[in-house]
Amino acid sequence: MNSRLPPLKIRNFTLRYPIIQGGMGLGVSWDNLAGAVAKMGCGGTVSSVGTGYWNTKEVRHINGRPLKPVNFAHTENFKAIVREALVKSEGNGAVGVNVLCALTDYERQIKDAVEAGAKYIISGAGLPLRLPEYVGNADIALIPIVSSPRVVNLICKRWKRSGRLPDAIVLEGPKSGGHQGYTYDQCFQPEYQLENMTPHVLKACKAWGNIPLIVAGGVWDIKDIETFIDMGVAGVQVATRFIGTYECDASDVFKQVILNSKQRDIRLLKSPVGYPARGIVNTPLVQRVLTGFRPKIPCISNCVTPCDHGKESNRVGYCIADALGDAWGGFLETGLFFTGSNGYRVTKLQSVRELIEKLVGLREDTDTWEEDPASDEMILGTQQAELAVSVGS
Ligand SMILES: Cc1cc2nc3c(=O)[nH]c(=O)nc-3n(C[C@H](O)[C@H](O)[C@H](O)COP(=O)(O)O)c2cc1C
């Protein structure tokens, strides 16, 4: 049986299915998940965030925290993760990386990705204006993440000076997990919702020479995928649903937090990175921050530039590197657990093969979850905004 979905062509490779698994830091998408997804003929994306946690043998750390950017974003570990993912892909699909512009040592991480043999780089959380300069002549697909047609135009104008344009573009809507490309208020406004923003960004992509557009944020099943394909996009990026797989690199505790989550538990939070971030709020760390418990936080990893060596961590009430590192490590008390708006729909673990077969229509999608309509308005409405503002204000 063949899938009804079209293949996705980007630069010099073609994915059998138009699905890229979104990069998930810290450690939620490393070699196991990315390799398994690529093996199925999709794009498997390794996150570059906090690779010093992956294998601590050669990594200098203090109390389990990688010391300084050189250890937090560890060159040898990152390259090893990408290579492992390539081995696990068995030559299928494509293995790429996700590198956030906000990360300290962004340029080094881009060069590491090229040297490791990644097929593509997806880059957002800031404008990747210098990305083409950093990769030089390397034959690697460059895929910026955008939030509007204005950003498409800005990036294309700047990249043209370096003699290249994006090989594809990811539009991330406000149902995504982790950091958002919009303000708190915009996340709730109709014009910024993915389905409403897509036609405008498509138009900009067409104007720059039919750059393939990939949409992300709340894409759950084949129906969603077909809706967007019918609108004219080339592919989708899916992240949250992959947390519910055996191969996902997050700890069992992380997966259990997502499996236990209800719709009302998933909210936007303030983050030291400077963007609102979506995660689970009924966890010990977030509850402590909400009740005003603010011990002084030392900056050990110096992970992102906007945090300014821990200034923002102390203002917001938690360190993003430590909190995400602890979620990866399975520490419920101190971990921060990111998810997209659909996290409550993840109600069981399954294999990547099973999930992708459902996403492409080769297997019946029988996954079930409980809707919580009473909280729906609350989740998308003012109360969420209030909560987002109150955390760390
Ligand atoms: C746990 C988690 C961590 C994420 N971390 C990153 C990240 O490090 N960099 C990034 O660009 N996007 C990150 N994202 C966003 C995803 O790559 C993706 O674009 C988005 O979540 C897609 O929406 P969905 O989760 O509803 O499928 C993260 C998402 C989740 C759920």
Side-chain angles (χ1 to χ4, degrees):
M1 196 163 85
N2 284 327
S3 170
R4 315 190 283 270
L5 299 177
L8 170 58
K9 185 169 174 2
I10 298 174
R11 196 172 171 88
N12 58 3
F13 62 88
T14 302
L15 302 175
R16 195 184 323 146
Y17 306 119
I19 299 171
I20 290 182
Q21 156 258 313
M24 292 181 275
L26 187 158
V28 182
S29 69
W30 275 342
D31 49 315
N32 289 312
L33 181 58
V37 170
K39 189 177 167 191
M40 288 297 296
C42 301
T45 311
V46 166
S47 159
S48 84
V49 178
T51 46
Y53 280 94
W54 184 67
N55 177 351
T56 51
K57 239 171 124 199
E58 305 294 327
V59 177
R60 280 193 66 198
H61 44 82
I62 294 181
N63 298 331
R65 316 281 189 216
L67 177 65
K68 301 190 175 163
V70 69
N71 289 294
F72 182 74
H74 193 269
T75 287
E76 290 316 317
N77 279 5
F78 185 30
K79 288 184 185 172
I81 295 171
V82 172
R83 289 190 195 118
E84 283 284 321
L86 283 165
V87 170
K88 287 170 183 159
S89 75
E90 297 177 11
N92 299 297
V95 170
V97 297
N98 178 292
V99 187
L100 301 167
C101 300
L103 289 165
T104 324
D105 281 4
Y106 173 73
E107 181 178 352
R108 172 171 59 84
Q109 294 177 57
I110 295 297
K111 290 185 168 149
D112 292 345
V114 171
E115 280 174 29
K119 275 268 180 211
Y120 61 86
I121 298 172
I122 298 183
S123 193
L127 294 177
L129 293 177
R130 301 187 62 188
L131 187 52
E133 295 162 44
Y134 297 156
V135 300
N137 294 327
D139 185 13
I140 186 166
L142 302 184
I143 311 178
I145 301 175
V146 307
S147 53
S148 68
R150 193 184 65 84
V151 176
V152 173
N153 293 332
L154 222 116
I155 290 172
C156 289
K157 266 187 208 149
R158 174 68 194 260
W159 284 22
K160 221 176 148 201
R161 283 199 244 149
S162 310
R164 67 182 288 184
L165 288 171
D167 297 287
I169 281 177
V170 170
L171 167 64
E172 242 180 32
K175 287 188 177 157
S176 299
H179 293 105
Q180 307 293 312
Y182 301 104
T183 65
Y184 297 107
D185 290 343
Q186 288 171 343
C187 285
F188 312 114
Q189 289 163 2
E191 62 266 42
Y192 295 98
Q193 302 308 309
L194 186 62
E195 58 281 15
N196 298 333
M197 186 58 83
T198 297
H200 303 291
V201 174
L202 255 177
K203 209 169 144 196
C205 289
K206 283 215 174 94
W208 283 98
N210 270 330
I211 301 172
L213 179 64
I214 295 157
V215 292
V219 176
W220 180 258
D221 58 14
I222 188 166
K223 276 208 305 272
D224 295 339
I225 298 174
E226 286 181 323
T227 301
F228 281 108
I229 297 275
D230 287 347
M231 287 173 86
V233 312
V236 297
Q237 177 169 282
V238 179
T240 297
R241 211 170 166 189
F242 282 105
I243 301 174
T245 61
Y246 304 118
E247 292 92 334
C248 170
D249 294 271
S251 58
D252 290 343
V253 169
F254 192 120
K255 294 178 190 178
Q256 204 54 52
V257 167
I258 305 300
L259 290 173
N260 292 344
S261 69
K262 302 270 174 288
Q263 216 170 343
R264 71 182 83 99
D265 304 329
I266 300 168
R267 305 283 181 95
L268 288 178
L269 298 159
K270 270 203 172 166
S271 155
V273 182
Y275 304 98
R278 181 166 283 106
I280 306 282
V281 293
N282 60 338
T283 56
L285 173 77
V286 175
Q287 292 307 313
R288 275 198 303 277
V289 173
L290 276 171
T291 51
F293 179 69
R294 301 280 174 85
K296 183 154 175 37
I297 304 163
C299 174
I300 298 170
S301 300
N302 183 18
C303 63
V304 289
T305 40
C307 185
D308 196 8
H309 298 266
K311 277 204 191 103
E312 283 302 309
S313 303
N314 280 289
R315 220 173 60 77
V316 170
Y318 65 90
C319 164
I320 189 81
D322 296 355
L324 295 181
D326 284 356
W328 175 77
F331 300 105
L332 181 61
E333 267 297 313
T334 46
L336 175 65
F337 302 85
F338 278 169
T339 173
S341 296
N342 282 333
Y344 70 98
R345 295 186 182 184
V346 179
T347 53
K348 63 167 192 176
L349 296 182
Q350 56 194 315
S351 68
V352 164
R353 167 175 290 279
E354 207 178 325
L355 175 52
I356 290 181
E357 284 178 354
K358 289 173 183 172
L359 290 175
V360 304
L362 296 181
R363 181 192 284 258
E364 198 187 347
D365 196 341
T366 51
D367 293 12
T368 54
W369 61 88
E370 267 177 41
E371 290 290 337
D372 188 3
S375 64
D376 213 35
E377 203 172 306
M378 205 171 81
I379 299 280
L380 292 169
T382 49
Q383 198 161 351
Q384 183 170 9
E386 276 162 25
L387 183 77
V389 173
S390 69
V391 177
S393 57

